[in-house]
Amino acid sequence: MQMNKIFNTNFMKRVFVFVIGLFIMAFGVTFSVKADIGVSPISCVPYIYSLKFPLSIGEFTIILNVLFMIIQIMILRKKYNILQLVQLPAIIVFGYCIDMTMALLENLQATNYIEQLSLCLLACVVLAFGIFLVIKTRLTYLPLEGLVLVISQTFKKEFGKIKISMDSLMVVIGVISSFVFLHELIGIREGSIIAALSIGALIKFFSIKMSFIEKWLADEPIKEASNEEVVNKYNDSFVITISREFGSGGHEIGKYIAKELGISFYDKELIQLSAQNTGYTSEYIEENEQKLTNSLLYDLYEQNFSYVNDELPPKDALFLVQSKIIRDICSKESCVIVGRCANFILKDHSNCINIFIHANKEYRIEKINKKYGVEIPFTSDDLRQSDEQRANYCMHFTKKDWRDVTNYHITIDSSLYGSRESAKKVIEFIKSSKKYL
């Protein structure tokens, strides 16, 4: 009886928030229409068709999303989860909420471009907040995101790339339909670009700043580990993390330190462990870990994953898995760990010494070309790009500057001593440290 009460109370909370979310989303769609400088990619097709045919934008929204549901069923067939049919009443409610808000705001008119732009930005914020509420209820996906998820999982494609493709397809269909039926481009302008670039980021912002909503909707209170629990997890191990510039000899320095101290060493070994825990190939992990080509572009790509709870960008998923592996290793044994932002992952470890290995450009290039087995000679531009990628990766996942010396207990220029002597100096420091047990 008590369980039923809990289930019913929680379920009703979710339904209530879900409906409120749909209604808020409808206001977002209406604000974007009233701004008249372009609607979001998903709304452009219903909007254009509503201008030509005797059905409302809300009714065309229902029709388009029912089509998305039918395609889901066609792809999955017998594997289709009958519970996902709840998308149908959800999208019917959403469609008629749009028509309701259009009627409520019938007299809202922007008289100049500043007002249009303000309405467009308001539309993005409101739409994002509504989507955020719908997502956090975990009742169902909206049909377009459901279709993207089905395609991604069925054909083993990245969710983010499929999401971008589907949004682009909606825009292409909208452009073609606009010229065919209206003989001019309507509904797709700078506002559409603003929506495409900002809504996902805004959903992510709400997820971070309003996490209490997800906790309130949870079946059970979400318990966070206390500082004491975190410290106790590591209290029997001693760890050395080595962050390093490419070509500075961090790997061999770390390996020598581990051998001299009689503790385990982890670098490439983490690639194999990650492959076992993710399903990614070792080659894919080696190619994608510890580097991010452009942080801004990745942020724009990553925001596509904000539309669903259970999908993570591949690099994010890989980082989380490697973080767990590193924490698990350090809870069981003393070791040296090279790279992977381990110093930040283990920031709560009381017996952890963090080291940064760097070297001058000439030393690094010579070492890479002579000892690292590269097929094409490494250049200064390659070195600069490598440093940028590591810095971007660290900033994205830890919000810290990779080269900031305050993040480390000791930094050393390996070009002054070579790898072996550098390792010896680090060992002297470690043995004199109060952290070394």
Side-chain angles (χ1 to χ4, degrees):
M1 187 71 168
Q2 185 67 19
M3 287 296 292
N4 288 337
K5 183 179 178 181
I6 292 172
F7 173 80
N8 290 336
T9 301
N10 184 264
F11 180 74
M12 292 309 296
K13 274 196 305 186
R14 290 172 182 271
V15 171
F16 174 75
V17 173
F18 189 87
V19 173
I20 293 296
L22 292 177
F23 194 63
I24 292 173
M25 285 172 60
F27 268 109
V29 172
T30 299
F31 283 136
S32 69
V33 171
K34 293 295 182 177
D36 198 28
I37 55 172
V39 297
S40 64
I42 184 60
S43 296
C44 66
V45 173
Y47 175 59
I48 291 165
Y49 276 71
S50 71
L51 297 176
K52 175 64 178 178
F53 299 99
L55 289 177
S56 67
I57 181 174
E59 289 168 332
F60 272 115
T61 297
I62 295 170
I63 292 171
L64 180 62
N65 281 276
V66 167
L67 178 61
F68 293 149
M69 289 181 61
I70 292 171
I71 297 173
Q72 289 179 47
I73 295 170
M74 290 172 63
I75 293 174
L76 292 176
R77 299 181 183 180
K78 293 180 179 180
K79 294 181 180 179
Y80 184 78
N81 186 346
I82 198 71
L83 292 176
Q84 288 305 316
L85 287 175
V86 74
Q87 291 176 12
L88 181 57
I91 205 61
I92 291 173
V93 170
F94 178 49
Y96 285 111
C97 279
I98 292 175
D99 290 343
M100 186 187 305
T101 54
M102 288 290 288
L104 289 171
L105 300 176
E106 183 179 5
N107 297 323
L108 179 64
Q109 298 293 335
T111 58
N112 55 61
Y113 188 75
I114 297 298
E115 290 182 2
Q116 287 180 299
L117 186 60
S118 299
L119 267 181
C120 174
L121 295 175
L122 176 63
C124 292
V125 173
V126 172
L127 185 56
F129 184 64
I131 295 172
F132 158 73
L133 292 178
V134 167
I135 291 170
K136 293 308 173 185
T137 64
R138 294 181 177 269
L139 289 178
T140 186
Y141 298 112
L142 295 174
L144 177 59
E145 281 66 47
L147 176 58
V148 172
L149 201 59
V150 166
I151 294 173
S152 171
Q153 293 177 348
T154 302
F155 301 104
K156 308 300 181 185
K157 303 294 183 181
E158 285 186 22
F159 177 90
K161 292 180 179 178
I162 302 299
K163 180 72 169 67
I164 293 171
S165 299
M166 289 298 295
D167 285 345
S168 301
L169 178 61
M170 291 298 100
V171 172
V172 169
I173 293 173
V175 170
I176 294 172
S177 300
S178 183
F179 281 113
V180 169
F181 296 121
L182 306 175
H183 310 295
E184 60 179 320
L185 186 60
I186 293 179
I188 301 169
R189 281 178 52 184
E190 63 270 30
S192 304
I193 298 173
I194 293 171
L197 295 179
S198 66
I199 291 177
L202 286 166
I203 296 171
K204 184 177 178 181
F205 171 81
F206 288 129
S207 297
I208 295 171
K209 297 299 182 181
M210 304 187 73
S211 58
F212 63 88
I213 290 181
E214 185 169 17
K215 293 177 182 177
W216 181 66
L217 291 171
D219 292 321
E220 296 179 0
I222 299 173
K223 182 184 177 183
E224 298 180 1
S226 65
N227 289 335
E228 185 178 352
E229 288 174 325
V230 172
V231 171
N232 287 341
K233 181 178 179 181
Y234 298 124
N235 62 3
D236 291 328
S237 63
F238 172 72
V239 179
I240 300 160
T241 72
I242 295 183
S243 302
R244 75 287 185 227
E245 293 179 326
F246 186 49
S248 64
H251 174 88
E252 53 194 359
I253 290 172
K255 198 166 187 177
Y256 183 84
I257 292 171
K259 182 179 178 181
E260 288 298 304
L261 297 180
I263 57 179
S264 300
F265 174 75
Y266 291 94
D267 187 359
K268 299 294 184 183
E269 296 80 0
L270 292 170
I271 294 176
Q272 296 299 324
L273 291 170
S274 299
Q276 295 169 16
N277 283 271
T278 62
Y280 297 135
T281 64
S282 299
E283 292 75 18
Y284 176 87
I285 293 172
E286 188 166 9
E287 180 64 27
N288 287 276
E289 67 163 3
Q290 303 188 81
K291 53 188 174 185
L292 208 59
T293 303
N294 186 296
S295 186
L296 176 59
L297 289 178
Y298 186 74
D299 285 342
L300 292 175
Y301 169 73
E302 184 186 42
Q303 74 172 14
N304 290 286
F305 291 80
S306 301
Y307 291 85
V308 290
N309 265 315
D310 302 320
E311 288 289 314
L312 285 174
K315 287 184 185 290
D316 290 57
L318 182 57
F319 179 79
L320 289 177
V321 168
Q322 287 193 332
S323 298
K324 184 179 185 305
I325 289 170
I326 288 169
R327 291 191 186 100
D328 287 346
I329 288 171
C330 295
S331 69
K332 298 172 184 175
E333 61 177 324
S334 297
C335 58
V336 174
I337 294 183
V338 177
R340 283 87 185 174
C341 299
N343 55 317
F344 300 108
I345 292 169
L346 299 171
K347 64 182 184 297
D348 296 314
H349 196 306
S350 58
N351 294 324
C352 182
I353 290 182
N354 304 314
I355 300 161
F356 186 76
I357 310 294
H358 60 100
N360 64 52
K361 181 173 64 176
E362 294 73 23
Y363 178 86
R364 293 164 64 195
I365 290 176
E366 181 180 5
K367 194 175 191 69
I368 292 167
N369 287 323
K370 286 186 177 181
K371 294 188 177 182
Y372 286 18
V374 293
E375 296 180 3
I376 301 174
F378 217 74
T379 66
S380 296
D381 286 340
D382 295 325
L383 207 62
R384 177 185 54 77
Q385 186 179 45
S386 173
D387 289 343
E388 276 185 12
Q389 289 176 345
R390 291 191 177 187
N392 288 340
Y393 183 88
C394 183
M395 179 60 69
H396 178 80
F397 289 108
T398 70
K399 308 305 179 191
K400 299 290 185 180
D401 183 352
W402 173 59
R403 279 178 159 161
D404 184 350
V405 296
T406 62
N407 294 320
Y408 307 97
H409 296 106
I410 180 174
T411 66
I412 189 165
D413 184 345
S414 59
S415 63
L416 296 177
Y417 311 104
S419 294
R420 180 62 64 91
E421 288 302 314
S422 294
K424 288 180 179 179
K425 291 184 178 297
V426 171
I427 291 171
E428 288 177 11
F429 170 80
I430 291 170
K431 289 184 174 180
S432 66
S433 170
K434 292 181 181 179
K435 289 178 176 284
Y436 182 59
L437 301 177

